[in-house]
Amino acid sequence: MEHFSLPALSRVVISGGTHGNEMTGVYVVREMAKNKVDKIGSASRTTVLSNPEAVKVCRRYIDKDLNRCFTDALLSATLTPSSPYEIKRAHELNALFGPKGSPQAVDILCDIHNTTANMGMCFIFYRFDWITLHIFKYIQSKASFGPVRAIQFDTPLPEAYSLEAVAKHGFTLEVGPQPTGVIRADIYNMVMEALDLIMDWLEKFNSGRTFEGGEVEAFCKTNALDYPRDPTTDDITAAVHPQLQDNDFKLLRPGDPIFQSFNGETVKYEGEEAYPFFVNECAYYEKKIAFQLARKISISLPSISVTKD
Amino acid sequence: MEHFSLPALSRVVISGGTHGNEMTGVYVVREMAKNKVDKIGSASRTTVLSNPEAVKVCRRYIDKDLNRCFTDALLSATLTPSSPYEIKRAHELNALFGPKGSPQAVDILCDIHNTTANMGMCFIFYRFDWITLHIFKYIQSKASFGPVRAIQFDTPLPEAYSLEAVAKHGFTLEVGPQPTGVIRADIYNMVMEALDLIMDWLEKFNSGRTFEGGEVEAFCKTNALDYPRDPTTDDITAAVHPQLQDNDFKLLRPGDPIFQSFNGETVKYEGEEAYPFFVNECAYYEKKIAFQLARKISISLPSISVTKD
């Protein structure tokens, strides 16, 4: 089996409130900032409230979804006084924790999100990044709660649009179900435990521990389905079917019910076998996504350890 | 046992979207309006989207919570061009379906709401109104889903602030848990079934059926508790405790945990035995309510039938 020696990881950022109405990250970041523990073992940990203006009004965003603003194109655009608030904020965050793709970028950025979908805890990442995947494997094996899953969005880094793309090893911690604007203690506790486990892992890695390789399972996003809509008004004409609702990551087969129209008719799935996720996520109505689909993949992790001086 | 003869009920209003991000009522009203069945048996049924501007932007309200605008004081205030949108809209709705407390008011107004709390279906009403309570008893006995509960807010009619107060017999149909901005098919189906049962009941009542009296159980609101807050920032410092979360209507005893602070401490309940409801309702953070409390009461219903010509 392959082995990689990788540089020590010294700068960690925990971010919340990238979407101002996803409350777990907001309260986790506020609590951590209160304690002012900046140095944990060999790593420094910084917290940031990514979209403070949206948090103030408890909305996803002010002008534009911040978590779609970190493409190379948007980060290199010239700012003007009339640029959307979130574009300006993305430039600030990129200057603080990036620049994206540069040697100056922070080592780890963990961005905390909530979903109204029944997804449990998910690691979402763009690339087959060995550090992210080893952290995921560690949390999956140690967490007192379950399930913990990995989701890969197969997007090239220049087009990667979310905050974590600015870090060398960035990932989203997506946890649900939790309504927007609501904080649930059970989900807060899960995230706090995961963040402790991340710092544990980092300390062990930086101290020279070898992490053995192995197979991990991940869900690789393939496509997304919109709700049936009225061609004139664009209003949705159906809800997610009760048999699909809350059944994220359960295999969907051709012929399975996926929507129930408001007049009572059932719409059946016509695609290939796939795993649905983000089923009935609140914020995706405007993005025209009823749920996303993935295929299951197996990833062979190499063993890793820190580069000796 | 007492018996009352009451006038026939001919005008029914089904309203939704009083809060623009509570989606069940929005889609129920749109679906019913599409079918244009105005006359069902002896009664006419009208639908209304109460706060169309808030529905457009998927927010609870534009300027002010519409469902707090139907007090006698606010309905008799003089409108100016700068009056809040919802005050103007409350005057319109009162002219259409009231005036509140007048003989011209509609007979029945059922206002559909959602909560993020695990409350199932609840009838919320102000007065011991025999029509409302008989409809409640009928639905409780016939519904294919459960539980169905009754909640009384002991507010004198002049101060009654919600839309249903304009009708002769008004009530709120509160259904949850459903996140704001999300439509769940299971909850949509429950509400559609309840609305069909209401029309069934009305048809039977108007046709001369005698509805037998009996005891019904209701929850009578006593008080409300706020979250622990930081005295300087006013931010909440605790979430609803996992042992209370989702346990609406389960008896709360002195010493039971009610909050978990963000640094992990448990806050215990110090009041008298009571039944919590609206536990962790999204919209009540701004109203400084973590949950409400009720005592359980038993109401003796008289038998009723329609007045013969």
Side-chain angles (χ1 to χ4, degrees), chain A residues 27 30-31 34 59 116 179-186 188-189 192 235-237 239-242 245-246 260 262-263 280-282 285, chain B residues 27 30-31 34 59 116 179-186 188-189 192 235-237 239-242 245-246 260 262-263 280-282 285:
Chain A
Y27 288 107
R30 280 188 185 154
E31 185 61 24
K34 216 183 283 176
R59 289 187 201 145
T116 60
T180 52
V182 162
I183 176 86
R184 287 183 63 104
D186 50 0
Y188 178 88
N189 294 345
M192 280 300 209
D235 289 336
I236 65 169
T237 56
V240 166
H241 195 277
Q245 177 72 50
D246 303 330
Q260 180 194 285
F262 294 126
N263 63 14
N280 203 357
E281 155 58 30
C282 178
Y285 285 79
Chain B
Y27 288 108
R30 280 188 185 154
E31 185 61 25
K34 217 183 283 177
R59 288 188 202 144
T116 60
T180 52
V182 163
I183 177 86
R184 288 182 62 103
D186 51 359
Y188 178 88
N189 294 346
M192 279 300 209
D235 288 337
I236 65 169
T237 58
V240 166
H241 195 278
Q245 178 71 48
D246 304 329
Q260 179 195 287
F262 294 126
N263 61 15
N280 204 358
E281 156 56 30
C282 178
Y285 284 79

